[in-house]
Amino acid sequence: MNLAVQLPGLTLKNPVMPASGCFGFGKEYSEFYDLNTLGAIIVKAATGEARYGNPTPRVAETSSGMLNAIGLQNPGVEKIITDELPFLRPFDTPVIANVAGSTVEEYVHVATTLNKSQDIAALELNISCPNVKEGGVQFGTNPELAKEVTYKVKEASNFPVYVKLSPNVSNITTMAKAVVDVGADGLSMINTLTGMQINLKKRAPIIANKTGGLSGPAIKPIAIRMIYEVRQALDVPIIGMGGITTAEDVVEFLLAGANAVAVGTANFQNPYACPEIIEQLPQVLSEYGFSSVADAIGKGHVHE
Amino acid sequence: MNLAVQLPGLTLKNPVMPASGCFGFGKEYSEFYDLNTLGAIIVKAATGEARYGNPTPRVAETSSGMLNAIGLQNPGVEKIITDELPFLRPFDTPVIANVAGSTVEEYVHVATTLNKSQDIAALELNISCPNVKEGGVQFGTNPELAKEVTYKVKEASNFPVYVKLSPNVSNITTMAKAVVDVGADGLSMINTLTGMQINLKKRAPIIANKTGGLSGPAIKPIAIRMIYEVRQALDVPIIGMGGITTAEDVVEFLLAGANAVAVGTANFQNPYACPEIIEQLPQVLSEYGFSSVADAIGKGHVHE
Amino acid sequence: MITKKRLEIISHLQIAEATFEVTVKSDFAAELKPGQFVHILVPGHMLRRPISIANVDREQKTFTMIFKIFGEGTKKLSECRSGDYLDIILPCGSHYPIEELELEHALLVGGGIGVPPLYYLGQQLKEKGVKVTSVLGFQGKSHVFYEEKFQQLGDTYIATNDGTYGKKGFVTDIIKELDQPMDYYFSCGPTPMLQAVTTLLANEKGYISLEERMGCGVGTCYACVVPLKNDPTKNKKICKDGPVFYANEVLLG
Amino acid sequence: MITKKRLEIISHLQIAEATFEVTVKSDFAAELKPGQFVHILVPGHMLRRPISIANVDREQKTFTMIFKIFGEGTKKLSECRSGDYLDIILPCGSHYPIEELELEHALLVGGGIGVPPLYYLGQQLKEKGVKVTSVLGFQGKSHVFYEEKFQQLGDTYIATNDGTYGKKGFVTDIIKELDQPMDYYFSCGPTPMLQAVTTLLANEKGYISLEERMGCGVGTCYACVVPLKNDPTKNKKICKDGPVFYANEVLLG
Ligand SMILES: Cc1cc2nc3c(=O)[nH]c(=O)nc-3n(C[C@H](O)[C@H](O)[C@H](O)COP(=O)(O)OP(=O)(O)OC[C@H]3O[C@@H](n4cnc5c(N)ncnc54)[C@H](O)[C@@H]3O)c2cc1C
Ligand SMILES: Cc1cc2nc3c(=O)[nH]c(=O)nc-3n(C[C@H](O)[C@H](O)[C@H](O)COP(=O)(O)OP(=O)(O)OC[C@H]3O[C@@H](n4cnc5c(N)ncnc54)[C@H](O)[C@@H]3O)c2cc1C
Ligand SMILES: Cc1cc2nc3c(=O)[nH]c(=O)nc-3n(C[C@H](O)[C@H](O)[C@H](O)COP(=O)(O)O)c2cc1C
Ligand SMILES: Cc1cc2nc3c(=O)[nH]c(=O)nc-3n(C[C@H](O)[C@H](O)[C@H](O)COP(=O)(O)O)c2cc1C
Ligand code: FES
Ligand code: FES
């Protein structure tokens, strides 16, 4: 069965890759299995300078999901290029760098700095970060801000840019169109939904940052809906994610219109999640009558 | 333990009521238990004329949640007043009517018509319906539309109006402020998040309407976050809902800032959900050191 | 009176390919009527699963359900064991109104997982002295169940889609060749089968039992509706007004 | 090598109030080191639960965990039985680096669910010929466990918060009165206890083991960090760099 997928800047042997922030920079899970099995790897967010991240607790468990507020902890883009990414060089698996920042300038700086890396194949532009200049409004919930940061990062980068959309919006298609209009090579969706859990004993939010991002199977129906909507409006490559834990989930994302998928939270539950999903994918695809990954993409769309 | 809660137009013996659309007009669950135990009852949405609703399938199951696209099936506001609401008259439990429509005029018509009912104590204004005049944009995702419909319904109605907010927005506080500004007596939150599930065999969305509203424990962290945010910005009565299945969940909503709560999807899993939660509430409240329902409201807020 | 109970499984058997027969103890057993269903909680799942009542033992105070593994919920139910408890809402829905019918000869037409409720119906009909003829359709030989039990009720004909057992084809292929009078037919099965049966037997009186994805199972959520034939702008609830309807009452498909 | 295995429970005992001792079979048992933990999947839950290794039987190829019911996950684990399987990631994290230490006399200071890892540590220390003194704190008498086992390792002192057993008060109240030399102390327990212990023993060398809510448990998600004492703008991961840290390395609380 042909699992290969061709996306801007990415030749994937299969459509399954770990999601940003759920796989570090690859070292830890390389102790569990051969990273060559992966379609690609999206590494943890990079910012201009090193970030400590938020105080702990940073995670909480919810029904079929989890909240996280890691706070973009990372050693900074320079150190990522010199100390983290080279580890992934020997693997025959494209690496996607996740770009974050608090100002347009920081995003551009990160993207420009990443131009010198030999170890990456594409950027994932994480626009779910709050813009400190605009008083914390997320780049990802304001089409004008999203446009601006996408345009400037596209201009600065030598790599294809996949813009990672936030689901915390009324109209995902408007956001998708905004960033595609200014040159996004693809979309990555969805990031987490903002949530909170309150500790009854402590009478306070469990997560020190109060709110956190909701991920996991709980959000899958929202991810599927958003990908379906965007796919109906736009012909653009989509890396789909949000609650994937099985090969059946992958096929559901493909049917909704994703060209490839990322697996996040499931890695924590099962460190072998990605290779197991990849192993089962051919069988599940053929069980539902598909002859390849390409054959399934967008096939869940009903045309009246 | 004092479970009583006093809200505009509503004297509740306890803070727990079934959510709109999850309890019909009360008849069916009255076969399971005495409706007098309930704090209040929110009945199914009323529109100007009878509505057939959407084609089936109208529901699907998701991880810790469900999707529904009932499509506001109801016999129309006149028949609701004459044929449905009188059944609830003998019970010592206030009834809240859920008002829906496709145009501002329809909302106003429903609210005006409900003025003649002797069986209700308040309105819940369901602004999650798509506005047919504005091309399907939801009243509940556009602050200006929300303002307009709230203002006109407030003007038309003799009852206190609780506006039911949609969670499908970037900034829930903006929506809350918009409707409170024009006189909403209270808020009811949250309605469902728009989602989709695709049937792999049929290669099509399971729900005939394609998208449906996601409810159940999966969305609880989003509900808690939104109530917490609105409570921090506004001093307005809030009926909280979204994934409540236990008395502990109720306390979490109270801590987040809800003054009362509604239980939706949980009724389907357990028809005795409401009375069981009410029964356990005193014990759970005292386990966490609260001496009454009022004592717990808003106590999850951390003030730096 | 509808209620919710924790009921003990006293027998759990596989009776055909992916098909299980589960009997539970219930003080309410004697009140259950043919055509009604129960609504079962599967731990870890949001929505209950509707399953028909396939038989009742009034003396032992037990009732039996037969189900096929379709998805995750029925898979989990298939993994239960005797001694486990199931959380069940019962009784749900309408029943075949045989008390009210003048009946001498009844035709039962079942397909797949539509067969089980007809067995309990057939038993009650036989008790009443009604002559019962059964036409049952299955996917293939390995899926056939309860053939002998139906034979004890009266003449029984089997069709399989793949021809591995009985007649190759559909239940309608058998009905066409049947040369017997009937007062009423009673049918349960997948919608395409019901459409074919009601079309073929358009001149006969009959009752059919429908399926739809359910939320509450008790009539509050409006998930499970079917449009009315005489006014498709109106509908009825399968969980409360149904699952049994007069054949001409509802619009299929 | 870190891995994930389905391991069979061969013994499951309640040993104190809400406290359970669970032993599982594992070919990896001999490789587990004191201070390390395992990360357990609780069916129906998104996040795994970290539990320390409380003992290892190299010959039987088993290891033992001791946990207390805290919330839903530990409650479900308490309901497991011998013969059930647990899905476990192991081994996780750093260990007490006793191979590298010059040691004659060790002080173990444990509180509540921080006691279990110290037992395995004490066993290994005793094997090495180190003199072991243990100071253990519990909520109250009904919560005390493994007292005799610790006594077999050396002098053992118990404190309970409510005074229902041993000394009323905190482990630090006992340590203050101890008049014994020590090369190193090893401590595990709730953060307030660790703060009190590290403050009291500020002039001694010691290792402490920390707890934090975890995502991955293997070092990829940055959920479980603790700031460094010499540079609080930097942090380390408790699941990978820890849970055992040199007492002066990290900033508590
Ligand atoms: C009144 C009635 C009586 C029934 N009696 C029987 C019976 O006696 N034996 C039997 O094997 N089956 C019966 N069914 C069908 C049975 O309910 C489904 O096979 C079952 O719900 C599938 O659940 P699942 O978890 O295995 O499938 P999944 O696909 O995993 O279920 C997902 C969701 O879809 C619903 N669903 C899927 N298929 C159906 C369906 N055909 N009808 C209703 N809901 C569905 C499930 O209940 C669940 O909410 C009956 C259905 C109805 C409505
Ligand atoms: C390295 C390490 C070793 C541990 N060793 C032991 C041990 O040997 N025996 C023992 O009884 N307990 C131990 N704990 C604590 C144990 O992990 C928690 O008690 C347990 O996770 C609580 O889960 P729950 O489902 O019962 O509670 P819930 O409150 O329902 O859990 C909700 C979430 O919070 C997390 N959580 C809650 N409390 C803690 C905590 N104290 N530490 C980490 N995560 C927490 C859970 O893992 C889960 O993700 C250890 C913790 C760590 C970090
Ligand atoms: C612990 C954690 C950390 C994350 N960090 C990042 C990040 O640094 N950058 C980013 O774009 N997304 C981040 N995400 C979001 C995921 O990449 C993914 O979009 C989301 O979790 C939904 O997928 P899932 O349900 O499979 O986890 C993080 C998610 C989790 C759970
Ligand atoms: C089947 C179903 C029908 C619903 N119908 C309505 C409705 O008519 N009007 C309304 O305002 N909300 C309706 N809702 C939303 C619920 O009232 C509630 O806001 C939502 O389901 C979240 O609560 P829950 O998670 O407890 O179900 C419906 C929800 C469900 C599941
Ligand atoms: S399933 Fe709720 S009305 Fe039928
Ligand atoms: S729990 Fe993920 S880094 Fe420690």
Side-chain angles (χ1 to χ4, degrees), chain C:
Chain C
M1 244 282 291
I2 194 163
T3 183
K4 180 178 81 79
K5 292 281 170 196
R6 280 185 77 231
L7 302 180
E8 187 184 350
I9 298 177
I10 57 158
S11 149
H12 192 290
L13 292 172
Q14 179 158 5
I15 57 171
E17 189 173 331
T19 310
F20 294 80
E21 181 204 63
V22 174
T23 301
V24 298
K25 256 196 122 53
S26 166
D27 290 340
F28 290 79
E31 293 168 33
L32 305 176
K33 299 196 175 129
Q36 288 189 310
F37 69 98
V38 300
H39 212 29
I40 308 182
L41 185 73
V42 182
H45 286 262
M46 278 310 296
L47 298 180
R48 288 172 177 263
R49 270 52 179 176
I51 301 289
S52 302
I53 293 155
N55 204 2
V56 167
D57 187 327
R58 278 180 225 151
E59 283 177 20
Q60 300 293 318
K61 296 192 175 171
T62 66
F63 69 88
T64 298
M65 301 162 283
I66 295 170
F67 64 88
K68 203 155 161 177
I69 295 183
F70 178 80
E72 273 186 62
T74 44
K75 175 134 205 304
K76 281 196 192 154
L77 287 177
S78 77
E79 289 159 0
C80 289
R81 286 171 279 189
S82 293
D84 289 351
Y85 280 78
L86 291 175
D87 180 318
I88 295 183
I89 296 178
L90 82 171
C92 299
S94 66
H95 58 280
Y96 295 104
I98 54 174
E99 322 86 68
E100 305 155 16
L101 303 180
E102 296 264 326
L103 256 181
E104 278 183 27
H105 191 155
L107 176 68
L108 309 186
V109 186
I113 54 165
V115 169
L118 298 180
Y119 181 66
Y120 182 32
L121 172 67
Q123 286 234 316
Q124 295 231 326
L125 290 170
K126 199 183 168 203
E127 265 180 38
K128 281 188 61 167
V130 178
K131 185 167 179 326
V132 172
T133 305
S134 306
V135 180
L136 310 176
F138 297 94
Q139 275 174 258
K141 185 174 179 182
S142 61
H143 294 267
V144 176
F145 61 87
Y146 267 37
E147 183 183 12
E148 287 123 65
K149 295 206 173 197
F150 274 93
Q151 277 165 351
Q152 284 161 21
L153 304 177
D155 291 345
T156 300
Y157 305 87
I158 308 265
T160 55
N161 298 358
D162 61 3
T164 46
Y165 195 78
K167 192 179 174 69
K168 179 174 161 69
F170 302 108
V171 286
T172 41
D173 297 327
I174 296 180
I175 301 172
K176 277 177 206 158
E177 294 173 7
L178 275 183
D179 196 21
Q180 282 178 326
M182 68 175 105
D183 305 311
Y184 281 91
Y185 70 92
F186 301 92
S187 188
C188 184
T191 306
M193 186 199 92
L194 292 178
Q195 283 173 315
V197 170
T198 52
T199 307
L200 180 66
L201 301 177
N203 297 324
E204 305 286 342
K205 290 173 290 187
Y207 286 88
I208 57 174
S209 177
L210 304 185
E211 276 181 22
E212 187 50 79
R213 285 181 188 246
M214 293 186 173
C216 65
V218 303
T220 64
C221 77
Y222 299 86
C224 63
V225 298
V226 57
L228 301 184
K229 213 172 218 163
N230 63 7
D231 180 1
T233 71
K234 292 211 162 61
N235 58 37
K236 287 207 163 179
K237 295 172 193 163
I238 291 174
C239 71
K240 187 83 180 175
D241 307 317
V244 176
F245 292 97
Y246 187 64
N248 270 318
E249 191 178 359
V250 290
L251 202 61
L252 294 177

Side-chain angles (χ1 to χ4, degrees), chain B:
Chain B
M1 164 109 32
N2 186 1
L3 300 183
V5 177
Q6 185 66 48
L7 298 179
L10 298 168
T11 302
L12 310 179
K13 52 179 160 303
N14 67 63
V16 181
M17 59 192 92
S20 180
C22 303
F23 209 74
F25 295 96
K27 271 195 196 101
E28 293 79 10
Y29 288 118
S30 79
E31 295 182 40
F32 286 89
Y33 59 88
D34 180 358
L35 302 186
N36 284 308
T37 55
L38 298 171
I41 295 174
I42 313 181
V43 293
K44 177 75 189 157
T47 54
E49 302 302 319
R51 293 221 190 165
Y52 178 90
N54 291 321
T56 58
R58 293 177 170 185
V59 293
E61 186 181 69
T62 71
S63 292
S64 297
M66 68 175 282
L67 293 169
N68 90 80
I70 306 298
L72 294 177
Q73 172 170 354
N74 80 96
V77 63
E78 289 285 358
K79 282 236 169 91
I80 288 176
I81 292 170
T82 55
D83 301 359
E84 303 289 350
L85 295 177
F87 172 81
L88 293 169
R89 199 173 302 165
F91 298 101
D92 174 30
T93 303
V95 174
I96 302 171
N98 186 272
V99 175
S102 305
T103 58
V104 175
E105 295 70 35
E106 185 176 4
Y107 276 106
V108 169
H109 166 64
V110 174
T112 310
T113 312
L114 281 166
N115 281 337
K116 69 183 176 203
S117 170
Q118 317 152 27
D119 300 312
I120 62 171
L123 303 188
E124 181 181 53
L125 185 60
N126 177 0
I127 58 170
S128 304
C129 319
N131 181 354
V132 291
K133 279 210 185 154
E134 306 284 333
V137 178
Q138 283 194 354
F139 287 98
T141 59
N142 178 318
E144 290 313 313
L145 284 177
K147 254 190 164 135
E148 188 191 346
V149 69
T150 303
Y151 180 79
K152 297 229 168 109
V153 165
K154 248 325 264 182
E155 228 181 19
S157 179
N158 300 338
F159 296 107
V161 175
Y162 292 78
V163 179
K164 184 158 181 181
L165 301 183
S166 162
N168 299 298
V169 297
S170 305
N171 192 325
I172 193 74
T173 312
T174 307
M175 295 303 304
K177 280 188 176 150
V179 301
V180 169
D181 269 0
V182 295
D185 298 282
L187 301 172
S188 166
M189 54 194 291
I190 58 175
N191 215 314
T192 53
L193 285 128
T194 311
M196 178 187 282
Q197 193 176 59
I198 295 179
N199 188 321
L200 303 191
K201 270 184 226 160
K202 302 207 170 137
R203 303 186 180 187
I206 290 191
I207 301 243
N209 184 51
K210 294 185 190 171
T211 62
L214 183 64
S215 62
I219 69 168
K220 197 183 72 171
I222 298 168
I224 292 288
R225 186 263 298 181
M226 290 188 164
I227 291 166
Y228 191 100
E229 283 178 0
V230 169
R231 170 58 66 229
Q232 257 181 337
L234 290 174
D235 184 20
V236 63
I238 298 174
I239 304 173
M241 68 202 71
I244 294 175
T245 59
T246 65
E248 281 81 2
D249 293 338
V250 173
V251 177
E252 190 180 353
F253 274 79
L254 297 176
L255 292 179
N259 302 77
V261 299
V263 176
T265 307
N267 292 293
F268 306 156
Q269 212 177 37
N270 176 11
Y272 299 104
C274 290
E276 286 180 5
I277 288 171
I278 292 165
E279 199 191 321
Q280 280 149 22
L281 191 55
Q283 188 198 317
V284 174
L285 279 167
S286 71
E287 190 182 326
Y288 291 103
F290 299 105
S291 57
S292 68
V293 163
D295 185 23
I297 295 168
K299 288 289 163 58
H301 285 252
V302 183
H303 303 282
E304 276 117 22

Side-chain angles (χ1 to χ4, degrees), chain D residues 130-196:
Chain D
V130 177
K131 185 169 182 326
V132 173
T133 305
S134 306
V135 179
L136 310 177
F138 296 95
Q139 276 173 260
K141 185 175 179 181
S142 62
H143 293 269
V144 176
F145 60 87
Y146 268 37
E147 183 184 11
E148 288 122 65
K149 294 206 174 199
F150 274 95
Q151 277 165 348
Q152 283 162 22
L153 304 177
D155 292 345
T156 299
Y157 305 88
I158 308 267
T160 55
N161 299 357
D162 61 3
T164 47
Y165 195 78
K167 189 178 177 71
K168 179 172 161 68
F170 302 107
V171 286
T172 40
D173 298 327
I174 296 179
I175 300 173
K176 276 177 205 156
E177 295 172 6
L178 276 184
D179 194 21
Q180 283 179 326
M182 70 174 102
D183 305 311
Y184 281 90
Y185 70 90
F186 301 91
S187 186
C188 185
T191 306
M193 185 199 92
L194 292 178
Q195 283 173 314

